Amino acid sequence: MSRRTTELLYLVLAGAVSTMAYVSVYAGRYREIHRATIVYGLVFVAIFLVLHIVVRVFLSRADPYLLPVTALLAAIGLTEIFRIRPALALLQGQWLLVGALLFVLTVVIVRDHTRLDRYRYLIGALGLALLVATIVAGTTVNGAKLWIHAFGMSIQPSEFAKLAIVVFLAGYLDDKKVLLSVPTRHLLGVPVPAAKYFGPLVLMWGLTLVMLVFMKDFGMSLLFMAVFVALLYMATNRIVYVVAGGALFAAAAGLAIWLVPHVGDRFSVWLDPWSKADTTGYQLLQSLFTIADGGVLGSGFGRGFLLYTSRQPVVPDLQTDFIFAAIANEMGLLGAVAVILCFVLFFWRGARIATQAPDGFSKLLAAGLATAFALQTFIILGGVTRLIPLTGLTLPFVSYGGSSITANLVLVALLLMVSHRTNVVRAGTDVERRRLAELG
Amino acid sequence: MNKAISRVFVVGVLLFVALIVNLTVLQVIRADELAQRPENKRQLAQEQRIKRGAILAYDGSPIARSVRRSGFYHRRYPQGTFAPQLVGYDSVRYGRSGIEKEMNDELLGTAPELGVQSWLDQLLGRRPTGADVLTTLVPDVQRAAQQALAGKTGAIVALDPATGAVLAGASAPAYDPRKLEEQWADLSSDEGAPLLNRGMQGLYAPGSSFKVVTAAGALDAGTVTPETAFVDTGTFVIYGGKVTNYGGAVYGPHDFETALTQSINTTFGKVGDKLGRKRLVAAMRAFGFWEVPPLGLPSGAVVASGRYDGEGLLSPEAKMDPLAVAWAACGQEQVLATPLQMALVTSAVANGGAVMTPYVVQEVRAPGGRIVEAAEPAEWLTAIRPGTALTLNQMMRRVVTTGTGTGAAIEGVEVAGKTGTAERGDGTNLAWFIGFAPAGDPRVAVAVVVEETMSTGGAAAAPLAADVMRAALAQAALP
């Protein structure tokens, strides 16, 4: 069976499962099964079929599992969003459409991701510009400055900046990896590379600090720093960067807990939510109660106690950052673990694409994207389950949020491109190789 | 590079494993604990969406039932103020009390004994429907008790002596359960303590009504007979102190029966002294003192009677000097009793010496009417021998015919009883009456206590007992 047929098969499976989930929620809400529900389900399947065809035409040798996993996660997200606030599900559907369009544009325009390496400084600058724009023109929501309002929409630029920074770092680190792994000087007995190569790294650390202090965005800044440290380690194979990076971020985080009240609150709530049950700890506790209530088997799609009769969700921000609480409640431990395993599957395919890629840039790009994806998932899931302090991040593909789903669909497109190129280089036909060479 | 990527992947997977472990802890290991946390209002909020069963009076008329309003069920009280402290409240804000609390699982339809139907409901995601709780409270008797106490402070408990069923439990002042939430602040700070169920939670000096216990102990032990002769000089000097009669009365030569009918303290002081601390305490324990009567209410809703000091219930082994024993035999000293306990004392005499287990829930009826739980009368304690009970029964009849309790007499019915007047030290009295009727075949036993009266048990409490017993005897059937 060809990769694409496998992909199609799993897509159809994901489509069928998600249509069932959707119908179940609809029936639970309106006590009937309406024709429109089937139509919505079909529109959703159609979007992913179009993506499948685009992949079939342009990236025929790409990994067959990423797209179905994406579809399944998006379907679960849409279903739960519909469950919580039906009006938002339609908006999210439109964002999915926009994301699909961006996916297609990325594939059609870029074609070969190695071409991005040439523009790495431009892309890096673009990512930086997005973050600076957020600091300058952003509005503050829930204490953190993450949003830019433009053209009547709210955009969360850090989601896109995340991609740009990974592309830049992959190119930059691949270029400088030898220099970075050979220490030329010693500082306090620790071998360190030359300052001119180390400089951009300090800049990167500075960037995360700025994000922390000015945007008060603990989640994104943790994500940026962790991805950066992971990429450094993967490029140089030197554990000292992990230790140093960890120490630097810990120092920054410690300072932020002291100095930035918003970040300090989050930390103290994590330590003891019970004494603040009616104020800052309310949201986290409601999340824990809602998750615990799901038990092993869950209350069932559309059957959980997630809304008060006023239609207010029982956990504030349930449809965005806390969507996993709704999933754990309605799908239970088994369903929630299955969703986590979907993320692990995605991460595994991403890491596999990275290890199989023939060149350093491709390796680092795929590994960076997969790591960013996995870490973002871990940070928000760990936050809503009180494993780590809560920091506002979206759950990729699942949470309500246009920027998140569009940016992550572009992330899938990039991973598929790396995978396709790898397989062409390794086992492609002469025609495929020639076509790839022409692109370069 | 691949080695490093693999390592990062492994670390990532470990993080996800940590997530799964943590999730298992939340959803399985700590699930119950989190559900029980007071901060967790999910359960209460959800339960308002269940059609809670009704609490019914013995004739089937609803005392509290739920009606649906905009998706939520609210409690309605068709009979208004009807034993509110005993029935209890069900409030999202203030929680639950009384029968509402004790029978919560049944009322919500989640109790396991409700069986297959509710399990199937759970599987299909249907909300359970609550079961109805039929109480032993008889509307006419309950209302008679509440009316008798109108404007007063006190309590009345009426029992069926043969079964232990609580026919009425009135505590005054009371409150209107329909206005509980809006008046909560006033109710909970009111000096009259309208939320307190005086019948089961109120501890009072039993005064002379306690002489029934002393007499029971002494007759059972053979220390005295009704004919035993005594001489009263107005005081009984003992252990450097003295026992005196109410109002300074002097009765001269008399027998033990007269000592009970006229409530002569000096004689009961002497009998108590002869009986001694151990046998007096043993007689009390035989009637249930020092134990919480197993009425089937939440913990704290019924309290134990016995000897108390400022710190709480004293051990039954606690030392007493002879003077203390003599006064305790008269129901003074540190003896405190709830009206329920005194009702149990009088019903034991009425029931041939056996104290029946008191109960207030007659039946639990599943939706559809199937009876899933029914009360089965059972003996709780054997207080005295049947012969002693009969002797006491006859002595107590004379209290009502010729003694201090004539106010409890009912035309055409033989009533037995005992009055009590405990001086409270502030110039007011605590008026008691305990008794039962008809004396030959007792169907109702009652304990009445009225606080802050200038009058005696015979004048202030006995007529109230007569009203309640009359209402009970007018019933065709009692629990």
Side-chain angles (χ1 to χ4, degrees):
Chain A
M1 198 160 29
S2 84
R3 286 196 174 88
R4 296 281 71 79
T5 312
T6 310
E7 182 178 85
L8 184 61
L9 202 72
Y10 283 114
L11 267 179
V12 169
L13 199 66
V17 169
S18 36
T19 305
M20 266 159 56
Y22 183 55
V23 167
S24 157
V25 167
Y26 191 91
R29 190 177 185 106
Y30 299 106
R31 308 264 168 241
E32 59 169 10
I33 295 172
H34 197 266
R35 215 173 9 184
T37 45
I38 312 283
V39 174
Y40 283 132
L42 289 178
V43 168
F44 176 82
V45 172
I47 290 175
F48 276 92
L49 281 183
V50 168
L51 295 188
H52 165 73
I53 290 165
V54 169
V55 172
R56 194 175 265 269
V57 172
F58 292 96
L59 306 171
S60 55
R61 290 189 175 267
D63 186 278
Y65 298 106
L66 283 176
L67 209 52
V69 172
T70 303
L72 190 60
L73 289 173
I76 291 167
L78 268 172
T79 305
E80 279 301 332
I81 293 165
F82 177 77
R83 162 78 176 85
I84 297 159
R85 275 179 74 183
L88 288 183
L90 199 63
L91 278 175
Q92 179 76 351
Q94 289 166 5
W95 279 115
L96 179 66
L97 207 60
V98 173
L101 199 68
L102 274 178
F103 178 99
V104 174
L105 285 177
T106 311
V107 171
V108 173
I109 294 172
V110 179
R111 294 293 295 276
D112 180 6
H113 65 280
T114 53
R115 298 203 294 181
L116 293 173
D117 197 15
R118 271 178 255 159
Y119 308 104
R120 64 177 177 235
Y121 288 104
L122 185 66
I123 291 170
L126 193 72
L128 213 58
L130 281 172
L131 292 177
V132 171
T134 317
I135 293 169
V136 175
T139 47
T140 303
V141 177
N142 290 338
K145 205 175 194 181
L146 310 175
W147 302 88
I148 288 182
H149 289 281
F151 316 113
M153 301 181 292
S154 297
I155 301 165
Q156 199 176 349
S158 51
E159 293 276 1
F160 296 97
K162 175 180 75 184
L163 299 180
I165 301 279
V166 170
V167 172
F168 162 73
L169 286 174
Y172 180 82
L173 292 175
D174 183 47
D175 215 21
K176 305 284 191 284
K177 62 179 179 244
V178 181
L179 294 165
L180 286 169
S181 30
V182 179
T184 51
R185 296 184 305 171
H186 287 257
L187 186 70
L188 300 172
V190 180
V192 290
K196 66 172 174 175
Y197 306 113
F198 204 58
L201 312 183
V202 176
L203 196 75
M204 188 67 208
W205 179 65
L207 176 69
T208 58
L209 257 187
V210 166
M211 286 174 72
L212 198 55
V213 174
F214 289 97
M215 294 163 70
K216 301 184 177 65
D217 188 354
F218 198 86
M220 267 296 167
S221 107
L222 173 66
L223 178 63
F224 273 55
M225 192 65 189
V227 168
F228 170 59
V229 167
L231 275 171
L232 250 181
Y233 171 65
M234 292 188 285
T236 62
N237 204 16
R238 285 174 57 77
I239 202 83
V240 67
Y241 285 119
V242 177
V243 176
L248 280 177
F249 188 80
L255 271 178
I257 287 165
W258 276 107
L259 300 176
V260 186
H262 174 67
V263 178
D265 275 356
R266 290 283 173 95
F267 189 75
S268 72
V269 162
W270 175 65
L271 287 179
D272 174 24
W274 302 105
S275 64
K276 308 161 192 79
D278 292 327
T279 55
T280 46
Y282 179 79
Q283 192 179 32
L284 181 59
L285 284 183
Q286 296 310 310
S287 169
L288 296 183
F289 294 151
T290 305
I291 291 168
D293 205 17
V296 176
L297 296 173
S299 43
F301 270 126
R303 294 190 191 282
F305 176 60
L306 298 180
L307 301 174
Y308 294 116
T309 31
S310 60
R311 297 267 178 238
Q312 286 301 307
V314 292
V315 186
D317 301 325
L318 188 60
Q319 71 278 13
T320 55
D321 295 3
F322 283 86
I323 193 134
F324 189 71
I327 290 172
N329 181 279
E330 298 213 317
M331 296 172 72
L333 178 65
L334 293 182
V337 169
V339 169
I340 291 176
L341 291 180
C342 283
F343 284 104
V344 174
L345 174 65
F346 191 105
F347 183 35
W348 172 51
R349 297 316 291 184
R352 192 167 179 274
I353 290 168
T355 51
Q356 293 187 340
D359 60 290
F361 173 68
S362 299
K363 275 182 190 300
L364 288 179
L365 179 62
L369 292 174
T371 308
F373 179 87
L375 275 173
Q376 177 161 356
T377 304
F378 173 75
I379 291 168
I380 185 59
L381 292 190
V384 300
T385 55
R386 208 186 148 215
L387 187 63
I388 58 172
L390 176 68
T391 55
L393 283 180
T394 55
L395 185 59
F397 301 124
V398 183
S399 285
Y400 172 73
S403 308
S404 173
I405 198 160
T406 48
N408 282 310
L409 277 168
V410 172
L411 185 147
V412 175
L414 291 172
L415 279 177
L416 289 177
M417 267 189 263
V418 178
S419 173
H420 172 69
R421 188 176 203 280
T422 303
N423 291 326
V424 168
V425 169
R426 294 196 163 197
T429 61
D430 289 342
V431 182
E432 284 173 323
R433 282 182 201 186
R434 206 178 311 127
R435 220 183 276 159
L436 201 64
E438 279 165 12
L439 283 173
Chain B
M1 208 178 260
N2 276 358
K3 211 171 207 175
I5 292 173
S6 303
R7 281 200 195 116
V8 169
F9 175 69
V10 169
V11 170
V13 168
L14 287 178
L15 291 180
F16 280 106
V17 169
L19 275 180
I20 291 172
V21 170
N22 184 43
L23 203 56
T24 310
V25 169
L26 283 179
Q27 296 196 278
V28 181
I29 298 166
R30 288 184 61 202
D32 279 341
E33 179 212 323
L34 286 167
Q36 302 300 324
R37 292 288 307 211
E39 295 88 348
N40 192 344
K41 305 272 189 237
R42 289 177 62 83
Q43 195 66 27
L44 270 177
Q46 261 177 300
E47 284 167 2
Q48 301 298 309
R49 298 167 79 172
I50 294 174
K51 183 166 167 45
R52 191 175 175 82
I55 296 178
L56 308 170
Y58 186 66
D59 66 352
S61 60
I63 303 168
R65 65 189 174 88
S66 284
V67 292
R68 194 184 160 99
R69 201 176 63 205
S70 60
F72 285 86
Y73 285 95
H74 298 264
R75 254 351 201 179
R76 288 272 185 283
Y77 301 91
Q79 313 201 33
T81 302
F82 187 96
Q85 303 98 335
L86 184 55
V87 171
Y89 47 81
D90 168 56
S91 157
V92 178
R93 268 155 87 189
Y94 305 113
R96 301 193 174 96
S97 72
I99 296 171
E100 293 272 24
K101 184 176 181 182
E102 182 70 19
M103 303 303 288
N104 189 44
D105 289 348
E106 287 80 3
L107 289 165
L108 284 174
T110 56
E113 63 267 27
L114 292 175
V116 180
Q117 178 63 36
S118 98
W119 180 81
L120 193 70
D121 279 347
Q122 234 166 359
L123 192 75
L124 294 176
R126 289 191 206 132
R127 289 208 184 91
T129 305
D132 291 345
V133 170
L134 182 82
T135 67
T136 56
L137 298 173
V138 179
D140 286 347
V141 184
Q142 176 67 30
R143 270 193 282 273
Q146 288 181 193
Q147 270 157 27
L149 285 171
K152 301 182 175 73
T153 303
I156 296 178
V157 174
L159 302 175
D160 182 331
T163 61
V166 177
L167 307 178
S171 175
Y175 62 90
D176 185 342
R178 291 168 292 197
K179 296 179 184 143
L180 176 84
E181 294 211 345
E182 55 191 275
Q183 295 179 346
W184 181 268
D186 293 337
L187 292 174
S188 52
S189 61
D190 190 327
E191 279 184 21
L195 294 173
L196 182 74
N197 185 13
R198 290 175 154 76
M200 284 94 199
Q201 298 172 301
L203 285 165
Y204 298 96
S208 302
S209 67
F210 183 81
K211 284 170 183 160
V212 174
V213 177
T214 308
L219 290 168
D220 221 33
T223 316
V224 289
T225 65
E227 294 78 32
T228 307
F230 292 90
V231 179
D232 170 47
T233 57
T235 43
F236 167 51
V237 178
I238 178 170
Y239 202 69
K242 56 185 180 178
V243 176
T244 55
N245 292 324
Y246 181 75
V250 181
Y251 294 93
H254 61 276
D255 60 14
F256 184 59
E257 182 173 282
T258 309
L260 187 79
T261 56
Q262 299 301 326
S263 201
I264 303 170
N265 283 351
T266 56
T267 301
F268 272 87
K270 288 171 198 164
V271 171
D273 183 44
K274 221 167 157 188
L275 207 53
R277 182 191 70 83
K278 273 192 184 158
R279 283 192 290 179
L280 181 65
V281 167
M284 289 167 75
R285 296 184 78 171
F287 281 104
F289 281 77
W290 275 284
E291 277 183 68
V292 176
L295 182 57
L297 283 182
S299 127
V302 185
V303 301
S305 305
R307 289 181 66 241
Y308 278 80
D309 68 1
E311 315 248 303
L313 186 62
L314 290 165
S315 157
E317 315 298 332
K319 279 213 164 74
M320 295 167 77
D321 62 44
L323 179 66
V325 174
W327 271 118
C330 302
Q332 302 279 347
E333 205 251 345
Q334 286 168 288
V335 176
L336 294 179
T338 61
L340 172 65
Q341 179 58 58
M342 294 314 291
L344 289 169
V345 167
T346 185
S347 53
V349 176
N351 193 39
V355 185
M356 301 303 286
T357 304
Y359 63 94
V360 71
V361 172
Q362 181 70 34
E363 275 171 22
V364 175
R365 295 175 175 172
R370 190 168 54 94
I371 295 168
V372 287
E373 217 183 296
E376 283 169 34
E379 193 176 317
W380 178 36
L381 298 165
T382 306
I384 41 176
R385 282 196 287 269
T388 311
L390 191 62
T391 309
L392 254 177
N393 183 325
Q394 276 153 358
M395 289 166 75
M396 285 168 72
R397 290 185 211 190
R398 286 209 36 218
V399 171
V400 178
T401 50
T402 63
T404 55
T406 49
I410 303 171
E411 217 184 280
V413 180
E414 224 177 340
V415 178
K418 178 72 192 87
T419 59
T421 309
E423 291 165 82
R424 285 159 50 105
D426 60 355
T428 69
N429 291 338
L430 204 55
W432 278 95
F433 182 86
I434 63 172
F436 52 88
D441 174 26
R443 293 176 60 205
V444 58
V446 68
V448 177
V449 66
V450 180
E451 295 180 36
E452 288 177 58
T453 170
M454 306 304 283
S455 184
T456 60
L464 276 51
D467 289 347
V468 174
M469 289 191 287
R470 204 178 286 119
L473 296 177
Q475 299 297 308
L478 289 172

